[in-house]
Amino acid sequence: MTAGAPDLWARAQEADTLVDKLVATLPEPAARTAEQRAEIGAAKHAARALRAAHLDRHAESVYRRLTEDTAGLRIGELLDAAADRFPGLVPGPERIAADRARRQADKEGWEIDQGLFLRAVLRSPQAGPHLLDAMLRPTDRARHLLPEFLRTGVLRTRSVLLERRDGTAYLTMCRDDCLNAEDEEQVDDMETAVDLALLDPGVRVAVLRGGEMTHPRYRGKRVFSAGINLKRLHAGDISLAGFLLRRETGYLRKMIAGLLVDHDGSWHSRTVEKPWIAAVDTFAIGGGMQVLLACDLVLAASDAYLTLPAAREGIVPGAGNFRLGRHTGPRISRQVILGGRRLWAAEPDARHLIDEVVEPGELDAAVERAARRLQSPAVVTNRHMLNTAEEPPEEFRRYIAEFALQQALRLYGEDVITKVGRFAGRTA
């Protein structure tokens, strides 16, 4: 496949062949005995150790060959290309599709092999930045929808509503049936909306807020976000590439670093950036709280709360581990991430994350005032310099490289499988 260490790659292929034989002869994952699970687990472990050693040496050359005839591939496209060009390096689409059709508890866990490959690519000082740049470019869907949005100033999807009014883009999360708990459809809609807000020259500032809910407990109330949709995770519909990595390297990073696109000022600023305001009603849980860390200004109703229940859910809270301590300091970040501490908007420690707390009925007016304040031309330049100092691209790359594998492993942890199973029968 690549020059050098042929014995290592041959051994990795032999180990993969053993895994293939075991998968073909053993029952489906859910029907395996403890001994059979141990046997296949040991075989996968050995194969992954050899493949990891090979990728440590050759990930950069592999990436270069996969992208040499392209302007750059997004994460999903890169995985497909690697499976096609270098069989055995990552799972093929048929394996990923077969796993996708199963509940999380019944999968083989081929996404761990995707995470292994992506960690190696993102670790590379050349390949990693190139891949992250590809994820900062506008999606094809956004490019297709842009002319209509420029004409009407409105985008409606099942998950979001984007409206342009007086130089401000109002992005409302509208999954009223599930308290704005994110799934892959919502991640796609969010990235599309963020792209459009950044591409539209008539937008100077963007506001993110949750819409009114139809959930029985919160009917008629606005809710910011309940985080990851654990019902969809239990069902096997939350993927590493299409949700967890796309979310972090796609719309969330675009909110911070901007959109990589050719524009009039490309010679002095490679991305198009705009300030983001978050307005929190009721709660921002998990991924909802993570979004706040990507915003320039956070407003909250006095009865709202924030929390990152990573310990309860068992997964890594995205780039929350990377960003939270910068806002709160290490002690509070550990209390929140490791201990599940809930921060109420009105308590003093929450002011590390929230800029302004108002009574619930006053949040609309506070949002309008904040949007006017952040429309100053100097805001974009200064937020760029702040983000350059606070979140250097190389530091983010190193974090997200390790996240790619560690999150993949957590997806298949027995504790995670057990916990998300409790959500199977819930209505939202």
Side-chain angles (χ1 to χ4, degrees):
M1 182 182 73
T2 54
D7 292 342
L8 181 60
W9 179 239
R11 288 165 56 204
Q13 289 179 306
E14 289 174 5
D16 281 331
T17 299
L18 175 59
V19 171
D20 292 343
K21 289 179 179 178
L22 286 173
V23 169
T25 57
L26 289 175
E28 289 291 301
R32 291 171 189 165
T33 66
E35 291 77 11
Q36 289 170 333
R37 289 196 298 271
E39 182 182 18
I40 189 66
K44 289 176 179 176
H45 176 83
R48 286 164 178 160
L50 290 166
R51 204 177 319 114
H54 178 81
L55 284 167
D56 283 344
R57 304 182 188 187
H58 301 294
E60 188 174 314
S61 60
V62 167
Y63 181 84
R64 189 165 53 247
R65 291 174 65 181
L66 291 173
T67 59
E68 58 189 348
D69 297 323
T70 74
L73 300 174
R74 288 172 63 87
I75 285 174
E77 297 169 333
L78 181 69
L79 290 169
D80 288 344
D84 178 64
R85 189 158 181 181
F86 300 119
L89 190 62
V90 295
E94 68 288 341
R95 279 190 164 174
I96 296 299
D99 252 9
R100 190 64 188 267
R102 301 180 173 120
R103 297 184 312 154
Q104 195 69 19
D106 300 335
K107 296 184 178 187
E108 288 286 357
W110 301 123
E111 287 177 300
I112 295 172
D113 301 277
Q114 292 183 325
L116 184 66
F117 171 73
L118 291 170
R119 181 183 68 167
V121 169
L122 288 163
R123 277 178 169 177
S124 164
Q126 284 74 44
H130 191 268
L131 175 57
L132 291 177
D133 275 358
M135 294 301 294
L136 286 182
R137 298 187 186 281
T139 63
D140 290 340
R141 183 186 182 199
R143 290 184 184 276
H144 174 72
L145 293 171
L146 181 61
E148 180 70 8
F149 182 72
L150 292 177
R151 186 180 68 83
T152 65
V154 177
L155 168 74
R156 290 182 183 272
T157 73
R158 181 164 176 258
S159 302
V160 304
L161 169 64
L162 180 66
E163 303 169 285
R164 181 187 63 241
R165 300 195 301 270
D166 300 324
T168 299
Y170 293 89
L171 173 51
T172 305
M173 296 175 284
C174 299
R175 286 301 302 272
D176 60 299
D177 58 322
C178 61
L179 306 179
N180 287 326
E182 280 190 292
D183 56 16
E184 297 203 11
E185 179 184 18
Q186 185 161 342
V187 167
D188 184 34
D189 287 348
M190 286 292 288
E191 185 166 14
T192 301
V194 168
D195 282 357
L196 292 175
L198 291 171
L199 286 167
D200 185 351
V203 170
R204 294 187 294 277
V205 61
V207 173
L208 178 60
R209 194 174 182 184
E212 291 187 2
M213 299 291 105
T214 58
H215 185 286
R217 187 174 176 184
Y218 298 95
R219 190 179 304 277
K221 291 189 64 175
R222 283 182 179 266
V223 167
F224 191 76
S225 174
I228 189 171
N229 191 318
L230 294 176
K231 283 185 64 178
R232 304 314 304 162
L233 177 56
H234 167 76
D237 291 332
I238 298 293
S239 71
L240 177 70
F243 181 98
L244 294 160
L245 283 170
R246 177 179 179 180
R247 184 177 187 273
E248 298 301 328
T249 62
Y251 86 80
L252 285 179
R253 188 155 181 266
K254 286 174 176 177
M255 290 173 67
I256 295 171
L259 200 63
L260 188 59
V261 62
D262 292 335
H263 60 102
D264 289 343
S266 293
W267 64 272
H268 63 77
S269 178
R270 65 194 296 263
T271 58
V272 174
E273 302 179 35
K274 291 170 186 178
W276 286 85
I277 299 168
V280 182
D281 299 272
T282 311
F283 53 69
I285 298 174
M289 183 173 173
Q290 294 167 34
V291 172
L292 307 184
L293 304 177
C295 293
D296 301 287
L297 188 67
V298 178
L299 313 175
S302 57
D303 60 351
Y305 68 86
L306 322 176
T307 182
L308 273 178
R312 181 168 65 87
E313 294 171 354
I315 57 177
V316 180
N321 309 63
F322 178 63
R323 297 185 177 120
L324 183 59
R326 188 178 75 218
H327 294 267
T328 65
R331 294 268 56 88
I332 294 177
S333 67
R334 280 167 171 75
Q335 292 165 15
V336 171
I337 293 173
L338 303 182
R341 179 181 174 185
R342 179 179 292 188
L343 293 173
W344 288 91
E347 69 177 284
D349 283 345
R351 296 310 300 268
H352 295 291
L353 298 162
I354 299 171
D355 299 282
E356 184 178 352
V357 178
V358 300
E359 292 304 307
E362 299 174 8
L363 196 52
D364 288 346
V367 167
E368 298 297 329
R369 291 194 301 269
R372 289 194 295 272
R373 289 200 305 270
L374 290 192
Q375 289 196 18
S376 166
V379 167
V380 173
T381 302
N382 280 288
R383 79 179 295 275
H384 172 77
M385 298 308 297
L386 285 166
N387 288 332
T388 298
E390 294 173 353
E391 190 167 311
E394 282 300 288
E395 294 301 318
F396 176 79
R397 177 182 65 81
R398 283 191 281 269
Y399 176 88
I400 211 68
E402 192 63 20
F403 172 81
L405 180 56
Q406 297 305 322
Q407 186 71 300
L409 291 167
R410 283 281 72 219
L411 282 178
Y412 296 92
E414 289 187 13
D415 59 318
V416 174
I417 300 298
T418 300
K419 288 169 183 175
V420 300
R422 299 170 188 160
F423 288 81
R426 297 192 181 183
T427 58

